[in-house]
């Protein structure tokens, strides 16, 4: 990397996020004022997500449902030196841009992630977040909730997110750590605890750990997505994965 300032593209995959998308994107306005590009990629929402997102985004795309497909579509049109993949229910610390660009300017890292804090009244989720951050530092694997960022040239070098229906963040991490360890930024992004609370905290913990263990044991992400309930059985993302062979794990 050169010593010139690094430009930033923020890719936000969305699906039926009308309740919060406008507020989420308004939080990115200071970064847009600094020159960051915001790309929203809709996976086929049937609510007002697209209409509410449009005034707050530089680009609004539609892609096949599934975070991997949506984020790859956004990255393909991004212009920034650095790609940040940000969930719609996650928001950044105030100095996120500087932290990311500083982390990648030193030539030691080509990608990274933030620590995460889960916004919830349930005290157990504080422990969950702490363990997520610790596990990530030890393993060099990041989750999407930790706001993964990567140099665009490195993202292209590993061919982006694999075309799988679930665990795309883990699979990308494993590809990227072949190039460098992640820059682990201690400042925390804050993510909503809504899915934990909606499913039940203990039940969600058991589900997530069970899915991760099954993935490590070789269960196909299409099957995991069906168990998780994130994609319908006839979705394009699942059909594409079933036609694919030899994806890195």
């Amino acid at each position: 990397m050169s010593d010139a300032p690094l430009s930033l593209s923020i890719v936000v995959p969305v699906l039926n996020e009308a309740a919060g998308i406008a507020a989420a994107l308004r939080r990115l306005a200071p970064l847009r004022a600094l020159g960051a590009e915001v790309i929203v990629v809709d996976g086929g929402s049937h609510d007002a997500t697209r209409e509410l997102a449009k005034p707050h985004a530089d680009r609004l795309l539609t892609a096949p449902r599934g975070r991997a497909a949506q984020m790859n579509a956004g990255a393909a049109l991004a212009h920034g030196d650095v790609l940040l993949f940000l969930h719609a229910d996650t928001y950044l610390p105030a100095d996120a841009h500087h932290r990311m660009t500083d982390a990648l300017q030193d030539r030691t890292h080509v990608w990274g992630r933030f620590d995460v804090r889960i916004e919830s009244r349930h005290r157990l989720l504080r422990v969950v977040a702490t363990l997520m951050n610790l596990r990530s530092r030890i393993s060099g694997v990041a989750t999407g909730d930790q706001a993964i960022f990567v140099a665009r040239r490195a993202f292209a070098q590993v061919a982006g997110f694999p075309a799988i229906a679930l665990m795309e963040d883990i699979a990308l991490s494993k590809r990227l750590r072949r190039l460098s360890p992640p820059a682990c930024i201690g400042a925390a992004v804050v993510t909503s605890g809504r899915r934990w609370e909606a499913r039940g905290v203990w039940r969600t913990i058991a589900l997530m750990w069970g899915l991760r263990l099954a993935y490590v044991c070789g269960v196909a992400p299409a099957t995991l997505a069906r168990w998780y309930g994130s994609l319908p059985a006839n979705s394009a993302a699942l059909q594409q994965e079933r036609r694919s062979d030899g994806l890195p794990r």
Side-chain angles (χ1 to χ4, degrees):
M1 295 233 177
S2 71
D3 293 329
L6 299 176
S7 56
L8 175 66
S9 292
I10 305 171
V11 179
V12 185
V14 295
L15 181 70
N16 298 325
E17 294 284 355
I21 189 60
L25 295 177
R26 279 196 295 267
R27 287 194 290 264
L28 300 178
L31 289 174
R32 291 182 77 192
L34 293 173
E37 172 186 45
V38 174
I39 302 173
V40 175
V41 189
D42 183 65
S45 296
H46 53 72
D47 61 9
T49 296
R50 290 179 56 86
E51 293 79 1
L52 293 168
K54 189 173 182 179
H56 308 287
D58 298 288
R59 289 174 176 262
L60 178 61
L61 313 177
T62 299
R65 179 176 172 177
R67 277 183 173 152
Q70 290 172 240
M71 292 187 290
N72 281 341
L77 295 181
H79 296 106
D81 302 310
V82 179
L83 305 175
L84 168 65
F85 300 98
L86 185 68
H87 291 180
D89 60 358
T90 300
Y91 58 93
L92 300 164
D95 57 350
H97 193 170
H98 297 299
R99 288 180 179 271
M100 286 185 286
T101 55
D102 288 350
L104 299 185
Q105 282 280 24
D106 69 1
R107 298 180 173 83
T108 302
H109 306 285
V110 299
W111 71 291
R113 70 14 162 223
F114 291 81
D115 276 358
V116 66
R117 178 168 63 85
I118 302 173
E119 188 174 49
S120 174
R121 295 180 180 179
H122 203 297
R123 294 181 179 180
L124 182 58
L125 291 182
R126 299 178 190 174
V127 178
V128 169
T130 298
L131 292 176
M132 286 172 61
N133 297 330
L134 178 61
R135 180 188 64 206
S136 177
R137 288 178 184 275
I138 294 172
S139 67
V141 171
T143 68
D145 287 332
Q146 292 174 301
I148 296 171
F149 59 93
V150 55
R152 185 155 58 100
R153 60 175 177 79
F155 187 76
Q157 187 174 344
V158 300
F161 288 96
I164 56 179
L166 203 66
M167 303 294 175
E168 74 288 335
D169 45 5
I170 295 174
L172 178 68
S173 295
K174 291 181 176 181
R175 290 180 172 187
L176 288 171
R177 71 182 183 185
R178 298 171 188 167
L179 304 181
S180 84
C184 297
I185 296 179
V189 297
V190 179
T191 193
S192 171
R194 60 181 181 171
R195 75 174 184 271
W196 304 81
E197 295 166 348
R199 293 173 180 259
V201 172
W202 283 107
R203 180 183 177 189
T204 304
I205 291 171
L207 174 63
M208 298 306 294
W209 279 96
L211 291 173
R212 184 180 287 268
L213 178 61
Y215 178 68
V216 170
C217 292
V219 176
T223 301
L224 301 180
R226 190 166 61 251
W227 293 349
Y228 185 61
S230 61
L231 291 176
N234 63 348
S235 73
L238 288 180
Q239 296 303 323
Q240 181 180 5
E241 181 184 330
R242 292 188 182 112
R243 291 192 297 267
S244 299
D245 294 317
L247 290 173
R249 294 291 188 262

